């Protein structure tokens, strides 16, 4: 008796749909988790709250993430993956410093605008001393920072920028750009509106870029279209 080969693609399609459903459910969970952790911190967040916001039972959520710590680690992994992907701009010391720094500042502000909850959950972990994520920060963020500092030092040695404390310049850029996510509530109170606008970010980018380029004695030119 000949086998029914028509069932083979059906099995494959079923497997593909299951993977798609799993990916979609995980994405839903992570989308809610990053906001709950950002609003409440690790200790104040609960699996039950995240599950409720994701529209599923606590037991169903724990099928995908068996513990709060594993879910928190995954949230921070995703935050760091996105952040580092956007920040990998200073890698080539042969590029024009003005263009590199403008792109870097723009990327940092876009992350604050597009991923405010991600920025805040990362900030909360760091503010609390990175008790659950310190090793990953040391392993992933510190090497990238040191590489960026080395780029500044190459520029200084070549006379392309004025001598500057590159470590503190990077800290300052981070502080200025990330504050538009981490302290946006304070900013909106001062501005007397519900949220920051795209123009707020554009104005911030122009001013921060001007300040940074001025600090390393580069001429400031108007950004292109």
């Amino acid at each position: 008796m000949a086998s029914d080969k028509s069932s083979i693609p059906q099995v494959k399609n079923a497997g593909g749909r299951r993977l798609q459903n799993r990916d979609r459910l995980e994405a839903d969970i992570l989308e809610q988790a990053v906001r709950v952790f950002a609003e409440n911190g690790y200790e104040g967040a609960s699996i039950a709250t995240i599950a409720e916001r994701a529209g599923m039972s606590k037991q169903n959520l724990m099928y995908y993430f068996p513990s709060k710590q594993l879910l928190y680690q995954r949230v921070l992994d995703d935050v760091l993956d996105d952040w580092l992907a956007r920040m990998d701009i200073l890698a080539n010391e042969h590029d024009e410093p003005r263009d590199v720094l403008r792109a870097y500042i723009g990327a940092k502000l876009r992350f604050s605008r597009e991923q405010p909850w991600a920025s805040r959950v990362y900030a909360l972990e760091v503010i609390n001393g990175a008790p659950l994520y310190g090793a990953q920060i040391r392993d992933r963020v510190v090497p990238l920072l040191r590489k960026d500092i080395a780029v500044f030092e190459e520029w200084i040695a070549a006379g392309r920028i004025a001598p500057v404390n590159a470590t503190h310049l990077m800290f300052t850029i981070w502080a200025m750009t990330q504050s538009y996510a981490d302290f946006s509530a304070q900013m909106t109170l001062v501005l007397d509106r519900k949220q920051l606008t795209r123009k707020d970010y554009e104005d911030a980018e122009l001013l921060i870029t001007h300040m940074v380029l001025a600090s390393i004695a580069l001429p400031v030119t108007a950004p292109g279209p």
Side-chain angles (χ1 to χ4, degrees):
M1 181 178 178
S3 61
D4 182 5
K5 295 183 179 181
S6 64
S7 64
I8 295 175
Q10 292 176 3
V11 171
K12 291 181 178 179
N13 289 339
R17 283 194 298 272
R18 282 196 295 271
L19 287 174
Q20 288 178 352
N21 288 337
R22 181 184 181 92
D23 290 344
R24 178 179 56 78
L25 286 171
E26 284 193 2
D28 289 344
I29 293 168
L30 291 166
E31 180 181 358
Q32 299 305 321
V34 69
R35 180 160 183 163
V36 172
F37 284 126
E39 290 173 340
N40 303 282
Y42 177 77
E43 295 298 335
S46 73
I47 290 290
T49 299
I50 297 168
E52 181 181 359
R53 292 196 184 182
M56 63 179 64
S57 68
K58 178 179 176 180
Q59 290 75 16
N60 193 16
L61 185 151
M62 295 188 73
Y63 171 80
Y64 297 96
F65 298 97
S67 71
K68 184 169 75 168
Q69 184 167 344
L70 286 175
L71 177 55
Y72 184 68
Q73 294 271 6
R74 172 64 184 277
V75 164
L76 286 172
D77 285 344
D78 287 355
V79 170
L80 205 54
D81 286 346
D82 189 4
W83 186 53
L84 294 181
R86 296 171 188 244
M87 296 307 101
D88 192 18
I89 293 173
L90 294 180
N92 191 349
E93 68 273 15
H94 302 295
D95 290 339
E96 178 59 42
R98 182 190 304 107
D99 297 334
V100 170
L101 284 165
R102 181 175 287 121
Y104 187 87
I105 292 165
K108 289 286 281 101
L109 280 168
R110 279 193 300 277
F111 183 79
S112 290
R113 177 168 59 84
E114 295 170 359
Q115 301 290 346
W117 298 111
S119 181
R120 289 172 209 171
V121 74
Y122 181 84
L124 276 177
E125 172 67 13
V126 173
I127 288 169
N128 289 321
L132 299 174
Y133 208 69
Q136 290 87 336
I137 293 172
R138 281 191 297 270
D139 291 344
R140 301 184 63 194
V141 177
V142 172
L144 182 61
L145 175 61
R146 288 175 177 163
K147 186 170 71 171
D148 289 344
I149 291 168
V151 169
F152 279 102
E153 290 172 348
E154 289 282 344
W155 288 341
I156 292 168
R160 301 177 70 189
I161 65 172
V164 66
N165 186 314
T167 301
H168 287 284
L169 180 61
M170 292 299 295
F171 289 163
T172 300
I173 293 173
W174 287 2
M176 288 191 291
T177 55
Q178 289 169 216
S179 66
Y180 281 84
D182 304 339
F183 295 98
S184 64
Q186 176 176 260
M187 294 176 180
T188 55
L189 286 171
V190 172
L191 294 170
D192 193 24
R193 54 174 173 261
K194 291 184 178 180
Q195 61 184 19
L196 296 175
T197 66
R198 183 178 291 270
K199 188 175 186 307
D200 290 324
Y201 283 94
E202 291 171 352
D203 290 345
E205 182 175 347
L206 185 63
L207 178 61
I208 294 169
T209 301
H210 182 96
M211 292 170 65
V212 169
L213 297 188
S215 75
I216 55 176
L218 282 174
V220 179
T221 58

